[in-house]
Amino acid sequence: MPSTVQTSKGAAQGRPEGGGFTDRFSMRTKRLFWVWTFLALPVLFYSVIRFYPTIDAFRLSLTDWNLMNKPKFIGFENYAKLFSDPKFWQVFRNTFAYLILGTPISLLISFTVAFALDRIRFGHSFIRALYFLPFLTTAAAMAWVWRWFYQPAPIGVINDLLSSFGLMQQPFLRSTSQALPSIMVTAIWAGLGFQIIIFMAGLRAIPSTFYEAARIDGLGEWAILKKITLPLLKPTTIFLVVMSSIGFLRIFDQVYNMTTNDPGGPLGSTKPLVLMIYQSAFSSYQMGYAAAQTVVLFLILLAISLLQLWILRDKK
Amino acid sequence: MASITLEKLVKRYDKVEAVHGIDLEIADGEFVVLVGPSGCGKSTTLRMIAGLEEISGGELRIGDEIVNERAPKQRNIAMVFQNYAIYPHMTVRENIGFGLYTSSLSKDEKNARIEETGRILGLTDYLDRRPAALSGGQRQRVAIGRAMVRNPSAFLFDEPLSNLDAQLRAQMRIEIKKLHQDLKTTTVYVTHDQIEAMTMADRIVVMKDGYILQTGTPVDLYENPADVFTARFIGTPSMNMIPMAALAGKAGLPDHDPDILVGVRPHDLIVNAPKEGAILTISGQVEACEPLGPETMVHMRVDGEPVIATLPGNVAPPVGSIVECSVETGKLYLFDAKTEKGLGRK
């Protein structure tokens, strides 16, 4: 109804009017007054705490600010330095390794669990709670527990188990090749609960008659999954792909806490972009350089999200 | 095409028995409607025939074969659901074609079948649309198309018209009936709407609390209801039930047994009708009138009992006035007040 949209000027239809504080104003004016009264605080808060610093980061990325001096405009020097830094490209590769392996693996596992969990009644809530528990736990605490898991035998549980089966002990966090996957496992595990809950909600939203009709039409389990469940879960999947990708691109807590002696180590093999930004800003105090890195991260996040939405869009 | 036979069919959920050993024979090509209030076991019975519910006891035969343990797809039946169960992510063509998913036909043959089905149901122009772009009636036609395209041995309908508005429902009723006359496929149709049952069925099965109360043609059920429930369920407005005691001393009534309920259809109880040939004449105070156009339903109270009568034409008597109405001989239904079983007509 374009006409009502036009007259309400941004106030939603059918909301309470907020009482007649004076009869001098029209209903619409009163409604707008109340709406903006309530919106003022969050709008102000977000502007000062969120939007201003975000936009200011773009300005800072073009300066040489180091907390001490006044920021001086240096053009794209920070970006040039960043792109010629081999450490940045290593971090770039690491970040995409988290993304490209982490997102599909975590979605595959969470879908499988949700699909199975959707079909059982016995202990359903309990099992669901177990899967959700890691999501409620502090990332730092979890990271330290996992760090202990990965220790050499007899302290680390995993190596203990391996050696009790007569298998070779693994270096895990102390190896340049195993450290990144080891950290990724904990990140996947931590996000699983959330993804399972969302997938289950998506599965529950599919009417059971869809499955019954398919069974009567003679489809097997696999065909039902492929032809009905997965296509109908697409909106849920898009949401989770985007959320999970953003999560992996911004990974920090797990890496920082599991490699505290040498954050992002060994030899930078686990360092993601956010950790590099953190170090540039708060270890080296190169605020301008760090700002340039955040701008790069922002552009990557934007590009990946838009790309995913475009790939997974509804084809008409 | 095939006959369907239910023998002592039982459905139990844990300790609760929902369907208590019902017997029913559905002939090849017959249109049978299971009708009853919600919770009477009609949908459960249909779902047992479809293979969507396990059968707890008894025997189900399609054709000559016992199919108790057969998966739905092996029974070669097709089902239409109340919420259509057509897939929003597929076009009409793909939805109808879904019925042929397991068929061994070639692609061209399948396409020809889909086109033909679309033509019969008047969906030709919509074949490449998504269900979201269709009206409720069209969606239900797509669901019927998916069922038809396979040439199943029986159609099962589970309250297919309940989600449609009144006008569309009337239209689809006729469409489904015509379709059955053309295809002559055995059909089992579940509804809680007695009008659907009356208008569509070759035979109506009235169910209540997991039992079959009465089976018969629509006219048979209307004319000779076996008990109070069927008498009141079939026909609208419902049959008036007046205890014989309330009619004591009324002219023309043959006996005055207090254990008898007297049933009169509102359409047989005519206000201001001539009293010659009437078996019963009663008077009551008018409480409300519903003018319907060709006739007016008069709600009144006779000895404290609510009674609905018909007044031909449009002139409603004023509320509060006393009117007299009478019933012709042969239009009274007598029931035993205790067992609620029918005792014949007077």
PDB file of all heavy atoms in Angstrom, chain B residues 104-124:
ATOM      1  N   SER B 104       9.251 -45.414 -14.961  1.00  0.00           N
ATOM      2  CA  SER B 104      10.291 -45.785 -15.920  1.00  0.00           C
ATOM      3  C   SER B 104      10.014 -45.199 -17.303  1.00  0.00           C
ATOM      4  O   SER B 104      10.668 -45.564 -18.267  1.00  0.00           O
ATOM      5  CB  SER B 104      10.367 -47.316 -16.001  1.00  0.00           C
ATOM      6  OG  SER B 104       9.093 -47.822 -16.317  1.00  0.00           O
ATOM      7  N   LEU B 105       9.030 -44.296 -17.385  1.00  0.00           N
ATOM      8  CA  LEU B 105       8.706 -43.697 -18.679  1.00  0.00           C
ATOM      9  C   LEU B 105       9.880 -42.866 -19.200  1.00  0.00           C
ATOM     10  O   LEU B 105      10.703 -42.389 -18.423  1.00  0.00           O
ATOM     11  CB  LEU B 105       7.491 -42.785 -18.538  1.00  0.00           C
ATOM     12  CG  LEU B 105       6.168 -43.440 -18.170  1.00  0.00           C
ATOM     13  CD1 LEU B 105       5.111 -42.382 -17.937  1.00  0.00           C
ATOM     14  CD2 LEU B 105       5.727 -44.383 -19.272  1.00  0.00           C
ATOM     15  N   SER B 106       9.925 -42.670 -20.510  1.00  0.00           N
ATOM     16  CA  SER B 106      10.949 -41.808 -21.085  1.00  0.00           C
ATOM     17  C   SER B 106      10.580 -40.366 -20.800  1.00  0.00           C
ATOM     18  O   SER B 106       9.459 -40.058 -20.408  1.00  0.00           O
ATOM     19  CB  SER B 106      11.028 -42.034 -22.588  1.00  0.00           C
ATOM     20  OG  SER B 106       9.921 -41.409 -23.202  1.00  0.00           O
ATOM     21  N   LYS B 107      11.554 -39.474 -21.025  1.00  0.00           N
ATOM     22  CA  LYS B 107      11.325 -38.068 -20.714  1.00  0.00           C
ATOM     23  C   LYS B 107      10.164 -37.501 -21.523  1.00  0.00           C
ATOM     24  O   LYS B 107       9.331 -36.755 -21.002  1.00  0.00           O
ATOM     25  CB  LYS B 107      12.609 -37.280 -21.006  1.00  0.00           C
ATOM     26  CG  LYS B 107      12.784 -36.125 -20.049  1.00  0.00           C
ATOM     27  CD  LYS B 107      14.141 -35.505 -20.205  1.00  0.00           C
ATOM     28  CE  LYS B 107      14.224 -34.298 -19.277  1.00  0.00           C
ATOM     29  NZ  LYS B 107      15.465 -33.569 -19.415  1.00  0.00           N
ATOM     30  N   ASP B 108      10.090 -37.890 -22.804  1.00  0.00           N
ATOM     31  CA  ASP B 108       9.020 -37.386 -23.654  1.00  0.00           C
ATOM     32  C   ASP B 108       7.660 -37.871 -23.179  1.00  0.00           C
ATOM     33  O   ASP B 108       6.686 -37.111 -23.140  1.00  0.00           O
ATOM     34  CB  ASP B 108       9.245 -37.834 -25.111  1.00  0.00           C
ATOM     35  CG  ASP B 108      10.389 -37.055 -25.750  1.00  0.00           C
ATOM     36  OD1 ASP B 108      10.719 -35.981 -25.198  1.00  0.00           O
ATOM     37  OD2 ASP B 108      10.936 -37.521 -26.764  1.00  0.00           O
ATOM     38  N   GLU B 109       7.612 -39.156 -22.818  1.00  0.00           N
ATOM     39  CA  GLU B 109       6.342 -39.703 -22.340  1.00  0.00           C
ATOM     40  C   GLU B 109       5.905 -39.001 -21.060  1.00  0.00           C
ATOM     41  O   GLU B 109       4.733 -38.664 -20.886  1.00  0.00           O
ATOM     42  CB  GLU B 109       6.489 -41.206 -22.078  1.00  0.00           C
ATOM     43  CG  GLU B 109       6.521 -42.032 -23.348  1.00  0.00           C
ATOM     44  CD  GLU B 109       6.833 -43.490 -23.054  1.00  0.00           C
ATOM     45  OE1 GLU B 109       7.869 -43.758 -22.410  1.00  0.00           O
ATOM     46  OE2 GLU B 109       6.040 -44.345 -23.441  1.00  0.00           O
ATOM     47  N   LYS B 110       6.891 -38.772 -20.183  1.00  0.00           N
ATOM     48  CA  LYS B 110       6.576 -38.069 -18.934  1.00  0.00           C
ATOM     49  C   LYS B 110       6.022 -36.690 -19.235  1.00  0.00           C
ATOM     50  O   LYS B 110       5.011 -36.280 -18.672  1.00  0.00           O
ATOM     51  CB  LYS B 110       7.836 -37.929 -18.067  1.00  0.00           C
ATOM     52  CG  LYS B 110       8.187 -39.177 -17.278  1.00  0.00           C
ATOM     53  CD  LYS B 110       9.354 -38.889 -16.341  1.00  0.00           C
ATOM     54  CE  LYS B 110       9.782 -40.149 -15.619  1.00  0.00           C
ATOM     55  NZ  LYS B 110      10.961 -39.960 -14.794  1.00  0.00           N
ATOM     56  N   ASN B 111       6.707 -35.977 -20.133  1.00  0.00           N
ATOM     57  CA  ASN B 111       6.260 -34.636 -20.487  1.00  0.00           C
ATOM     58  C   ASN B 111       4.849 -34.650 -21.046  1.00  0.00           C
ATOM     59  O   ASN B 111       4.024 -33.802 -20.698  1.00  0.00           O
ATOM     60  CB  ASN B 111       7.216 -34.013 -21.500  1.00  0.00           C
ATOM     61  CG  ASN B 111       8.239 -33.153 -20.795  1.00  0.00           C
ATOM     62  OD1 ASN B 111       7.938 -32.599 -19.733  1.00  0.00           O
ATOM     63  ND2 ASN B 111       9.420 -33.054 -21.351  1.00  0.00           N
ATOM     64  N   ALA B 112       4.571 -35.638 -21.906  1.00  0.00           N
ATOM     65  CA  ALA B 112       3.238 -35.733 -22.493  1.00  0.00           C
ATOM     66  C   ALA B 112       2.204 -35.937 -21.390  1.00  0.00           C
ATOM     67  O   ALA B 112       1.127 -35.317 -21.405  1.00  0.00           O
ATOM     68  CB  ALA B 112       3.201 -36.883 -23.493  1.00  0.00           C
ATOM     69  N   ARG B 113       2.544 -36.800 -20.430  1.00  0.00           N
ATOM     70  CA  ARG B 113       1.617 -37.064 -19.323  1.00  0.00           C
ATOM     71  C   ARG B 113       1.370 -35.793 -18.517  1.00  0.00           C
ATOM     72  O   ARG B 113       0.236 -35.493 -18.120  1.00  0.00           O
ATOM     73  CB  ARG B 113       2.189 -38.149 -18.396  1.00  0.00           C
ATOM     74  CG  ARG B 113       2.104 -39.539 -18.959  1.00  0.00           C
ATOM     75  CD  ARG B 113       0.771 -40.196 -18.670  1.00  0.00           C
ATOM     76  NE  ARG B 113       0.730 -40.817 -17.376  1.00  0.00           N
ATOM     77  CZ  ARG B 113       1.195 -42.039 -17.139  1.00  0.00           C
ATOM     78  NH1 ARG B 113       1.747 -42.736 -18.094  1.00  0.00           N
ATOM     79  NH2 ARG B 113       1.112 -42.555 -15.945  1.00  0.00           N
ATOM     80  N   ILE B 114       2.465 -35.042 -18.268  1.00  0.00           N
ATOM     81  CA  ILE B 114       2.327 -33.816 -17.473  1.00  0.00           C
ATOM     82  C   ILE B 114       1.454 -32.809 -18.204  1.00  0.00           C
ATOM     83  O   ILE B 114       0.541 -32.210 -17.631  1.00  0.00           O
ATOM     84  CB  ILE B 114       3.723 -33.225 -17.167  1.00  0.00           C
ATOM     85  CG1 ILE B 114       4.512 -34.172 -16.265  1.00  0.00           C
ATOM     86  CG2 ILE B 114       3.595 -31.866 -16.511  1.00  0.00           C
ATOM     87  CD1 ILE B 114       5.981 -33.827 -16.151  1.00  0.00           C
ATOM     88  N   GLU B 115       1.714 -32.647 -19.518  1.00  0.00           N
ATOM     89  CA  GLU B 115       0.924 -31.707 -20.316  1.00  0.00           C
ATOM     90  C   GLU B 115      -0.551 -32.096 -20.286  1.00  0.00           C
ATOM     91  O   GLU B 115      -1.434 -31.255 -20.120  1.00  0.00           O
ATOM     92  CB  GLU B 115       1.412 -31.707 -21.771  1.00  0.00           C
ATOM     93  CG  GLU B 115       2.861 -31.292 -21.945  1.00  0.00           C
ATOM     94  CD  GLU B 115       3.038 -29.783 -22.032  1.00  0.00           C
ATOM     95  OE1 GLU B 115       2.015 -29.103 -22.217  1.00  0.00           O
ATOM     96  OE2 GLU B 115       4.180 -29.306 -21.908  1.00  0.00           O
ATOM     97  N   GLU B 116      -0.800 -33.395 -20.448  1.00  0.00           N
ATOM     98  CA  GLU B 116      -2.171 -33.894 -20.487  1.00  0.00           C
ATOM     99  C   GLU B 116      -2.867 -33.618 -19.147  1.00  0.00           C
ATOM    100  O   GLU B 116      -3.996 -33.124 -19.104  1.00  0.00           O
ATOM    101  CB  GLU B 116      -2.141 -35.407 -20.800  1.00  0.00           C
ATOM    102  CG  GLU B 116      -3.457 -36.130 -20.669  1.00  0.00           C
ATOM    103  CD  GLU B 116      -4.463 -35.704 -21.728  1.00  0.00           C
ATOM    104  OE1 GLU B 116      -4.073 -34.931 -22.627  1.00  0.00           O
ATOM    105  OE2 GLU B 116      -5.630 -36.125 -21.644  1.00  0.00           O
ATOM    106  N   THR B 117      -2.162 -33.917 -18.065  1.00  0.00           N
ATOM    107  CA  THR B 117      -2.728 -33.669 -16.735  1.00  0.00           C
ATOM    108  C   THR B 117      -3.016 -32.184 -16.548  1.00  0.00           C
ATOM    109  O   THR B 117      -4.085 -31.798 -16.061  1.00  0.00           O
ATOM    110  CB  THR B 117      -1.737 -34.142 -15.649  1.00  0.00           C
ATOM    111  OG1 THR B 117      -1.401 -35.488 -15.917  1.00  0.00           O
ATOM    112  CG2 THR B 117      -2.339 -34.014 -14.278  1.00  0.00           C
ATOM    113  N   GLY B 118      -2.050 -31.352 -16.967  1.00  0.00           N
ATOM    114  CA  GLY B 118      -2.234 -29.911 -16.867  1.00  0.00           C
ATOM    115  C   GLY B 118      -3.456 -29.456 -17.651  1.00  0.00           C
ATOM    116  O   GLY B 118      -4.211 -28.593 -17.201  1.00  0.00           O
ATOM    117  N   ARG B 119      -3.649 -30.084 -18.803  1.00  0.00           N
ATOM    118  CA  ARG B 119      -4.790 -29.700 -19.638  1.00  0.00           C
ATOM    119  C   ARG B 119      -6.108 -30.067 -18.948  1.00  0.00           C
ATOM    120  O   ARG B 119      -7.026 -29.249 -18.852  1.00  0.00           O
ATOM    121  CB  ARG B 119      -4.685 -30.419 -20.991  1.00  0.00           C
ATOM    122  CG  ARG B 119      -5.584 -29.843 -22.083  1.00  0.00           C
ATOM    123  CD  ARG B 119      -5.554 -30.697 -23.336  1.00  0.00           C
ATOM    124  NE  ARG B 119      -5.895 -32.108 -23.065  1.00  0.00           N
ATOM    125  CZ  ARG B 119      -7.117 -32.539 -22.787  1.00  0.00           C
ATOM    126  NH1 ARG B 119      -8.124 -31.697 -22.734  1.00  0.00           N
ATOM    127  NH2 ARG B 119      -7.350 -33.821 -22.539  1.00  0.00           N
ATOM    128  N   ILE B 120      -6.180 -31.300 -18.431  1.00  0.00           N
ATOM    129  CA  ILE B 120      -7.410 -31.747 -17.772  1.00  0.00           C
ATOM    130  C   ILE B 120      -7.765 -30.806 -16.617  1.00  0.00           C
ATOM    131  O   ILE B 120      -8.919 -30.475 -16.391  1.00  0.00           O
ATOM    132  CB  ILE B 120      -7.246 -33.197 -17.247  1.00  0.00           C
ATOM    133  CG1 ILE B 120      -7.100 -34.166 -18.432  1.00  0.00           C
ATOM    134  CG2 ILE B 120      -8.427 -33.593 -16.374  1.00  0.00           C
ATOM    135  CD1 ILE B 120      -6.770 -35.581 -18.035  1.00  0.00           C
ATOM    136  N   LEU B 121      -6.743 -30.354 -15.891  1.00  0.00           N
ATOM    137  CA  LEU B 121      -7.006 -29.546 -14.697  1.00  0.00           C
ATOM    138  C   LEU B 121      -7.000 -28.047 -14.999  1.00  0.00           C
ATOM    139  O   LEU B 121      -7.098 -27.235 -14.082  1.00  0.00           O
ATOM    140  CB  LEU B 121      -5.970 -29.860 -13.623  1.00  0.00           C
ATOM    141  CG  LEU B 121      -6.038 -31.278 -13.059  1.00  0.00           C
ATOM    142  CD1 LEU B 121      -4.836 -31.568 -12.204  1.00  0.00           C
ATOM    143  CD2 LEU B 121      -7.313 -31.454 -12.245  1.00  0.00           C
ATOM    144  N   GLY B 122      -6.847 -27.679 -16.261  1.00  0.00           N
ATOM    145  CA  GLY B 122      -6.865 -26.261 -16.619  1.00  0.00           C
ATOM    146  C   GLY B 122      -5.649 -25.519 -16.110  1.00  0.00           C
ATOM    147  O   GLY B 122      -5.723 -24.361 -15.723  1.00  0.00           O
ATOM    148  N   LEU B 123      -4.487 -26.202 -16.091  1.00  0.00           N
ATOM    149  CA  LEU B 123      -3.271 -25.577 -15.566  1.00  0.00           C
ATOM    150  C   LEU B 123      -2.255 -25.285 -16.665  1.00  0.00           C
ATOM    151  O   LEU B 123      -1.129 -24.890 -16.379  1.00  0.00           O
ATOM    152  CB  LEU B 123      -2.624 -26.489 -14.516  1.00  0.00           C
ATOM    153  CG  LEU B 123      -3.382 -26.638 -13.192  1.00  0.00           C
ATOM    154  CD1 LEU B 123      -2.788 -27.780 -12.383  1.00  0.00           C
ATOM    155  CD2 LEU B 123      -3.338 -25.351 -12.394  1.00  0.00           C
ATOM    156  N   THR B 124      -2.666 -25.488 -17.926  1.00  0.00           N
ATOM    157  CA  THR B 124      -1.713 -25.374 -19.027  1.00  0.00           C
ATOM    158  C   THR B 124      -0.935 -24.060 -18.996  1.00  0.00           C
ATOM    159  O   THR B 124       0.277 -24.036 -19.197  1.00  0.00           O
ATOM    160  CB  THR B 124      -2.451 -25.509 -20.370  1.00  0.00           C
ATOM    161  OG1 THR B 124      -3.223 -26.703 -20.314  1.00  0.00           O
ATOM    162  CG2 THR B 124      -1.486 -25.585 -21.539  1.00  0.00           C
TER     163      THR B 124
END
